Amino acid sequence: MRFDDRLETTLRQADDGSVGLYAKWQQLVDMLAENSSDFDPVTVESGLQKVRQLMDIIPATLREQCVRGLSGRLRSAPLMLLLSGDVPAVAAAAVRGARLSDTEWADIVPHMSTRAREYVRNRRDIGPMTLRALRLLSSADSAPACDKSEAETVAPAPQVLQIRDIVERIEKLRIAREQHDPAETSVEPLIEQPVSFAEPIDQIRFETDQHGTISWIEGAPAGAVVGVNIAEPAFDAGAGPDAYGAAAFRQKMPLENARMRLCGAPAIAGDWRINAVPFFEPASGRFNGYRGILRRPNLAEVAHIPEGDTHDAENIQQLLHELRTPLGAIIGFSEIIEQQLFGPVTEEYRTIAGNILHDAQRLLSGFDDLSTAAKIETGTYVTEVGSTDCDWLSLRLAERLRALSNVLQVTLNLEQAHPVQPFALDNHLAERLFSRLLSAVIIGCAPGEILDGRFRTEPGLNAVNRFVLTLPKKLIDMDESELFGSGPLDDSHDAPLLGLGFSLRLVRNLARNVGGDLRFYNQALIVSLPAVHDGLTGLKDEEG
């Protein structure tokens, strides 16, 4: 049998100086991660002991950086077990980057700390044997700690005896595989399937430790969320916040509607929003972590396209994900500069930051429209059941569009032919539909123009609410094909990102999705939407 002597050579090197120790630790970890069959098991055991000994000397930041560099190359179960007992940042990086077999995971899971097992539960590729081992340990992991100070301490690294046992077990498995011994390698097909929670969860209360790792939750199974880190932005398909949320954590600032992604059971998987504040120890002022709420995004905030059957929908989903993450960071830092949160800033820089913030928010609005359009095209757009009062809607639209109409010097008049039945659709959808329509048309007005919109109900067994909107002079001579197919009418700072035609087609598709329509007739745009049925067959129309 041939043995690789690189590990022995590294162990024989003298421990001279801090720099030499750092380099030696990194070399040992890098070689042990390979899990080479050419290494002598006794030498592997000595190498693991040396790694454990130097862990008390090497700074945690360097250990984390080294382990992150192993992503995809960490194939040693004993080394994985050793690193899982390190500080949370190192343990999380090791679990995320490890590439072990189902048998190896199942062997080391019982020896791992509770925190490290939660990291394993958040992996999406664990096998049936590992799932069974985690399930058997779930009751012990979810038991409340007797002492909070004890729970907050870092779990100690595995003892040498445990490491020696794991080394021997892995070596036996390897020899058995090489000899094709079915008695040692077969797996009984008695493993239960993963349990998925029947009802979706819309809100989760949580608390993190000082490293950003969620340590306590309420409103969801502990194993599904505990162990997720909110201090590091999500990469690929993993769990975590966007760049804005991670940046806010580093600055110990409140998180307001930061985007978050969870993985795992269908009940908790998907996009979330974080609202949380940091908390500190009263006596010393030491930062202890964050407390807050995870909630599902509402309709106006949704920008993620669910997986559909078409290739185009998947491309749009990936594109929006790639664009929204850096854009969220740009918005966060622009707000910091504009609001002078870190100290005084010159007026010139505040103006620049305000312009950047405006442009970024405009991009986000365009992303939302593009996402909604893709959902409708693929048949995955889902509407909420509800009703919207016309008086409330008129006030919300006037408030929302006041700034835009003032800047463009346009007067918006919204009138009602009383009585007007409530719209038979959700508040968020009604506000989004009419705000998209009105903002797109307002931008097409010349300064000083008056834009009139009128709500009325056409009574009957199937009552319908209609909204008639007059068109500005710039649009009044267009026919329907030109109006719905037009690109941007101008390149002004407030023009629709995707063009007037796209905005009108989006409004029309939203209306048709709930049984209504948008059409062009007699130099006006007419929105038809279902009204709440009150059982009457006729209504007296009075001007209000």
Side-chain angles (χ1 to χ4, degrees), residues 237-267:
D242 61 3
Y244 161 68
F249 182 92
R250 289 194 297 271
Q251 301 297 334
K252 308 300 184 289
M253 295 173 55
L255 279 72
E256 297 182 0
N257 297 320
R259 290 173 177 82
M260 179 79 179
R261 184 173 60 218
L262 295 179
C263 304

Side-chain angles (χ1 to χ4, degrees), residues 137-151:
L137 295 165
S138 60
S139 59
D141 291 344
S142 61
C146 298
D147 186 3
K148 186 174 181 180
S149 62
E150 180 181 349

Side-chain angles (χ1 to χ4, degrees), residues 128-129 132 185-191:
M129 296 182 66
R132 183 178 184 181
T185 58
S186 62
V187 180
E188 297 181 0
L190 300 177
I191 308 303

Side-chain angles (χ1 to χ4, degrees), residues 17-204:
S18 59
V19 177
L21 288 177
Y22 299 165
K24 184 173 184 178
W25 191 85
Q26 292 178 351
Q27 289 174 358
L28 288 173
V29 170
D30 194 68
M31 283 187 289
L32 290 170
E34 299 176 5
N35 197 26
S36 174
S37 59
D38 293 333
F39 289 152
D40 183 2
V42 177
T43 307
V44 171
E45 180 184 334
S46 300
L48 292 170
Q49 293 179 17
K50 191 65 176 179
V51 170
R52 174 65 188 91
Q53 176 185 345
L54 295 180
M55 281 172 63
D56 298 330
I57 303 174
I58 309 301
T61 54
L62 290 179
R63 300 201 303 272
E64 179 185 1
Q65 182 180 4
C66 176
V67 174
R68 282 181 178 275
L70 297 176
S71 181
R73 299 189 297 114
L74 180 50
R75 302 182 182 277
S76 169
L79 181 61
M80 174 64 243
L81 177 61
L82 179 61
L83 295 176
S84 70
D86 207 332
V87 297
V90 177
V95 172
R96 283 197 300 265
R99 296 295 181 268
L100 305 182
S101 67
D102 189 22
T103 304
E104 291 171 331
W105 277 118
D107 278 339
I108 67 173
V109 157
H111 304 285
M112 297 171 71
S113 65
T114 300
R115 187 196 304 273
R117 283 198 289 268
E118 297 300 343
Y119 297 151
V120 177
R121 286 187 176 94
N122 282 292
R123 288 181 63 105
R124 307 183 69 177
D125 59 349
I126 53 179
M129 296 182 66
T130 310
L131 284 171
R132 183 178 184 181
L134 290 171
R135 190 174 298 116
L136 292 174
L137 295 165
S138 60
S139 59
D141 291 344
S142 61
C146 298
D147 186 3
K148 186 174 181 180
S149 62
E150 180 181 349
E152 290 179 348
T153 58
V154 177
Q159 299 298 319
V160 174
L161 179 59
Q162 293 179 352
I163 295 175
R164 183 182 300 115
D165 292 341
I166 294 295
V167 171
E168 293 176 356
R169 293 180 66 177
I170 297 301
E171 185 63 22
K172 289 180 180 179
L173 286 172
R174 177 183 297 149
I175 294 174
R177 286 194 213 101
E178 292 175 353
Q179 296 177 351
H180 303 285
D181 186 353
E184 295 290 336
T185 58
S186 62
V187 180
E188 297 181 0
L190 300 177
I191 308 303
E192 302 174 3
Q193 294 300 319
V195 177
S196 61
F197 309 106
E199 296 296 330
I201 298 170
D202 296 325
Q203 181 173 297
I204 302 173

Side-chain angles (χ1 to χ4, degrees), residues 216 308 311 425:
W216 171 88
H311 185 64
L425 63 155

Side-chain angles (χ1 to χ4, degrees), residues 409-413 445-453 469-473:
Q409 301 177 26
V410 175
T411 302
L412 176 62
N413 292 330
C445 295
E449 279 198 86
I450 299 176
L451 199 60
D452 293 320
L469 179 66
T470 60
L471 289 179
K473 297 177 181 178

